[in-house]
Amino acid sequence: MDVPISSRDFRCLQLACVALGLVAGSIIIGVSVSKAAAAMGGVFIGAAGLGLLIFAYPFLKSRFNLDHLLPTIGNLRIHPHPGPAQGQGGSSANGNKEGARSSLSTVSRTLEKLKPGGRGAEEG
């Protein structure tokens, strides 16, 4: 049997559920002795917060025009700065790569020396 419900009644029911979740979570956290019970109260408060967000979404959507804002946020990309021209700093970019390779090989040689039975133990 379908019972018709108005939009206003639905919103009031939603808000009542949010309030009940906040009150229940606060009471559970307030009287809890164990951490597990406090975590359960946090779940109630989190669910109430999500319910509040769902309740407020139509108002936020109309106020901030989220249909225009959300695609803009979704299209954000990171654009790296272009490096210096090849004539100006091409050798320095290669020098950085070589420096990283040489420091990596230095680290791997040092680790080899520190290993028991490694090359460093034979030399000493």
Side-chain angles (χ1 to χ4, degrees):
M1 181 167 102
D2 291 336
V3 177
I5 184 169
S6 70
S7 168
R8 183 177 176 180
D9 290 342
F10 179 71
R11 291 289 179 193
C12 289
L13 181 64
Q14 243 181 342
L15 194 56
C17 288
V18 166
L20 182 65
L22 286 173
V23 169
S26 299
I27 289 172
I28 291 172
I29 289 175
V31 300
S32 65
V33 177
S34 69
K35 291 180 181 177
M40 197 65 217
V43 169
F44 271 84
I45 290 179
L50 180 62
L52 188 62
L53 183 65
I54 292 170
F55 175 76
Y57 178 74
F59 303 109
L60 295 173
K61 183 178 175 184
S62 64
R63 178 74 177 156
F64 296 114
N65 193 11
L66 293 180
D67 289 334
H68 175 69
L69 183 67
L70 290 177
T72 305
I73 292 173
N75 289 332
L76 289 178
R77 299 284 186 262
I78 297 174
H79 299 289
H81 296 291
Q86 200 63 310
Q88 296 174 352
S91 62
S92 67
N94 290 336
N96 288 341
K97 290 178 186 176
E98 291 298 322
R101 285 187 195 135
S102 66
S103 64
L104 182 61
S105 63
T106 304
V107 169
S108 59
R109 280 184 294 194
T110 305
L111 288 175
E112 281 292 321
K113 288 179 182 178
L114 292 176
K115 284 183 184 177
R119 291 185 305 190
E122 295 170 2
E123 292 172 5

